[in-house]
Amino acid sequence: PVLGVMCVVGFVVALVEVALFDFLGRLVDLTKDVPAPDFFARHGRELAFMAFVALVARPTLIALSDLLMHQAVTPGLTARIRWQQHQYVVRQSLSFFQNDYAGRIANRIMQTGASLRESAVQIVDALWYVGVYTGSALILFAQADWRLTLPLVVWVFLYIGSLAFFVPRVKDRSWKASEARSKLMGRIVDGYTNIATLKLFAHTRQEEAYVAEAVQENVAKVRGMTRMTTGMDVTLTVLNGLLVVVTAGLGLWLWQKGLITVGDIALSTGLVIRIENMSGWIMWVVNGIFEDIGTVQDGMETVAKPNAVVDEPRAPALRITHGKVEFRDIHFHYGKQGGVIAGLDLQVEPGEKIGLVGPSGAGKSTLVNVLLRLYDLEEGRILIDGQDIARVTQESLRGQIGVVTQDTSLLHRSIRENLLYGRPEASESDVLAAVHGARAG
Ligand SMILES: Nc1ncnc2c1ncn2[C@@H]1O[C@H](COP(=O)(O)OP(=O)(O)OP(=O)(O)O)[C@@H](O)[C@H]1O
Ligand SMILES: [Mg+2]
């Protein structure tokens, strides 16, 4: 709905902008018709109206459209897209995160939100605006003389044609350039992260050559892209020059034949110069939109994977009565052909203590992970007090299981918040007891 309102406001703003040039034409014509001393007396009202449009109406409309864009749409829309994506991603299974870099996923979420908003806003703000602008310019030209519209119409076709030619090519090359940049970045980061190893092996020369190669590739790819953008700029400038010269020339010729007024020449030349000014801007906007759409597609590919471990609809919470755990003929091999756990049966009676012993890689951690339902079994069932763990909510299941992990990890928050993470309702004395219990007090 806000985008709809923006469309309407954009429409009116474009009309007002075009009207300014219409005023210019009128002024030229008016000064010609009337003897100078009578000018203000005769045309005072019309002049006052023009001044009102320029001084009051236009600023008000532009303020309105700015408010809509920068207050109503921009912050809210971006935040909403990011929030929805985060809500989805944070519920993804563990394997989703193991198959990708956390930093990359987070980056995708931040970028997709911004790009999606940017492309939507630009389409409404820039393309729509320029469309209306050009359309109403053509109507004004036609009112003077239909032939005056010809150069602009031809130009619009050529312009769209050159967009169609250049934009996909620029996009393609800028994608390649950004790939090369990632590669360079990767090599540098790899070196810094493993700096101790690098120094131990003292392969400075070799390491430099490795990075230098990526630098060169990056430069070549960037040049490939800038060649395209230069070509685009030059083509556009030539087209624009033609538009201005042909329109002005045609205007003068029509005026010579007595078909249009001097005011019409002022109007048409002024509008055409304004349109050519905007054309460079629009070319970049269209470029940006395509790039944004690419980013959104990439982001969607990363983010919109189906969730691998989901709660059944209206799954009940797990209810612990005795604490009996049964593994019934379970099979799990991380989605591979075989291995890890194949056909395991195990019953743990309430209160029973069990130790699992085995060499590294035997599958001890895996067994605990499937009990926590961090992964879904490939075959078999796990029951706790007779309830299949795949049928109850993941939260209620994990909430009932205490785990001391092999690796410790602290969330990037205060120690107190980390301590309270498992039991947010714990009292001050509980916290202190835990601190002393861990000999950390
Ligand atoms: N995320 C994963 N994706 C694919 N295979 C995995 C994954 N995690 C573990 N594995 C494989 O599953 C097997 C069992 O690993 P697991 O971590 O359960 O062993 P473990 O008995 O806990 O070993 P350790 O004593 O070293 O902790 C190993 O062969 C391991 O390579
Ligand atoms: Mg382990």
Side-chain angles (χ1 to χ4, degrees):
V2 188
L3 286 180
V5 178
M6 271 182 66
C7 275
V8 176
V9 174
F11 184 83
V12 182
V13 171
L15 287 187
V16 170
E17 297 280 324
V18 175
L20 289 184
F21 286 93
D22 192 31
F23 291 170
L24 175 68
R26 276 294 288 167
L27 279 182
V28 173
D29 285 344
L30 289 178
T31 47
K32 207 177 47 171
D33 294 347
V34 189
D38 295 351
F39 188 71
F40 281 100
R42 190 88 77 79
H43 296 298
R45 270 177 170 230
E46 191 167 351
L47 291 176
F49 172 71
M50 291 180 185
F52 170 79
V53 171
L55 286 177
V56 183
R58 183 167 172 262
T60 312
L61 281 167
I62 287 183
L64 185 61
S65 106
D66 244 49
L67 279 176
L68 273 173
M69 165 98 92
H70 295 298
Q71 304 294 320
V73 177
T74 309
L77 191 60
T78 321
R80 194 149 80 202
I81 298 166
R82 284 179 184 158
W83 179 244
Q84 282 171 353
Q85 291 195 316
H86 169 68
Q87 288 277 304
Y88 187 75
V89 165
V90 84
R91 285 173 177 67
Q92 286 281 12
S93 68
L94 201 59
S95 50
F96 174 88
F97 290 95
Q98 283 169 342
N99 293 333
D100 212 328
Y101 300 105
R104 207 179 82 95
I105 302 174
N107 214 349
R108 286 288 148 92
I109 289 187
M110 297 306 281
Q111 278 179 349
T112 310
S115 296
L116 195 58
R117 179 220 61 217
E118 194 55 30
S119 46
V121 164
Q122 289 289 15
I123 287 171
V124 173
D125 188 43
L127 294 193
W128 172 243
Y129 174 82
V130 168
V132 174
Y133 200 103
T134 312
S136 37
L138 284 173
I139 293 173
L140 281 183
F141 287 11
Q143 276 174 358
D145 189 294
W146 67 269
R147 274 160 291 195
L148 215 45
T149 60
L150 289 180
L152 187 54
V153 171
V154 172
W155 177 88
V156 167
F157 279 105
L158 289 178
Y159 180 74
I160 292 175
S162 52
L163 279 187
F165 179 81
F166 281 112
V167 168
R169 284 170 177 76
V170 170
K171 186 191 158 204
D172 181 51
R173 293 188 180 199
S174 86
W175 187 78
K176 284 187 182 135
S178 90
E179 285 281 287
R181 195 185 53 218
S182 305
K183 187 168 162 188
L184 170 60
M185 172 98 167
R187 289 190 179 187
I188 293 178
V189 170
D190 194 34
Y192 292 171
T193 328
N194 299 304
I195 193 71
T197 316
L198 252 62
K199 288 195 185 296
L200 275 179
F201 282 89
H203 283 162
T204 316
R205 200 69 59 65
Q206 217 169 306
E207 202 44 43
E208 269 177 9
Y210 185 63
V211 173
E213 189 198 345
V215 170
Q216 265 154 17
E217 186 181 332
N218 188 23
V219 170
K221 291 283 151 67
V222 169
R223 278 221 182 98
M225 182 186 79
T226 48
R227 262 202 300 280
M228 231 355 119
T229 54
T230 307
M232 183 167 100
D233 280 344
V234 171
T235 310
L236 196 56
T237 317
V238 171
L239 273 183
N240 285 340
L242 280 174
L243 173 66
V244 175
V245 171
V246 173
T247 305
L250 184 66
L252 287 170
W253 182 75
L254 288 170
W255 166 76
Q256 216 180 22
K257 301 255 163 200
L259 292 170
I260 62 171
T261 64
V262 182
D264 292 332
I265 298 183
L267 158 75
S268 59
T269 314
L271 263 176
V272 153
I273 290 179
R274 175 78 180 111
I275 288 173
E276 76 133 298
N277 276 341
M278 289 194 293
S279 68
W281 166 56
I282 287 302
M283 191 157 258
W284 287 111
V285 166
V286 172
N287 241 323
I289 290 174
F290 272 81
E291 228 160 79
D292 285 332
I293 290 174
T295 311
V296 172
Q297 279 171 345
D298 270 6
M300 282 322 202
E301 260 168 45
T302 305
V303 170
K305 295 212 179 91
N307 195 333
V309 180
V310 285
D311 287 344
E312 285 189 350
R314 278 182 308 255
L318 175 69
R319 293 227 330 274
I320 301 289
T321 47
H322 303 90
K324 178 179 169 129
V325 181
E326 293 167 82
F327 295 85
R328 289 201 187 153
D329 190 28
I330 65 164
H331 293 253
F332 182 70
H333 14 263
Y334 289 103
K336 298 193 186 110
Q337 291 303 315
V340 197
I341 299 176
L344 175 89
D345 280 298
L346 176 68
Q347 280 211 19
V348 187
E349 297 302 327
E352 194 180 3
K353 291 197 173 73
I354 285 209
L356 279 175
V357 187
S360 176
K364 306 178 293 294
S365 301
T366 306
L367 192 69
V368 174
N369 288 345
V370 292
L371 176 63
L372 287 164
R373 207 179 162 215
L374 295 178
Y375 304 92
D376 269 329
L377 291 175
E378 278 144 30
E379 261 178 68
R381 303 201 300 158
I382 300 174
L383 306 177
I384 297 180
D385 284 343
Q387 303 150 76
D388 190 333
I389 61 158
R391 297 268 146 71
V392 298
T393 64
Q394 298 171 58
E395 237 175 75
S396 68
L397 170 69
R398 290 176 203 144
Q400 293 285 2
I401 302 178
V403 184
V404 180
T405 54
Q406 222 161 333
D407 316 304
T408 54
S409 68
L410 284 176
L411 295 172
H412 197 77
R413 302 164 201 184
S414 73
I415 296 293
R416 161 179 290 275
E417 281 171 282
N418 270 282
L419 278 170
L420 285 172
Y421 200 76
R423 268 176 53 201
E425 73 285 354
S427 71
E428 187 67 22
S429 54
D430 290 339
V431 173
L432 288 175
V435 171
H436 290 301
R439 300 183 190 279

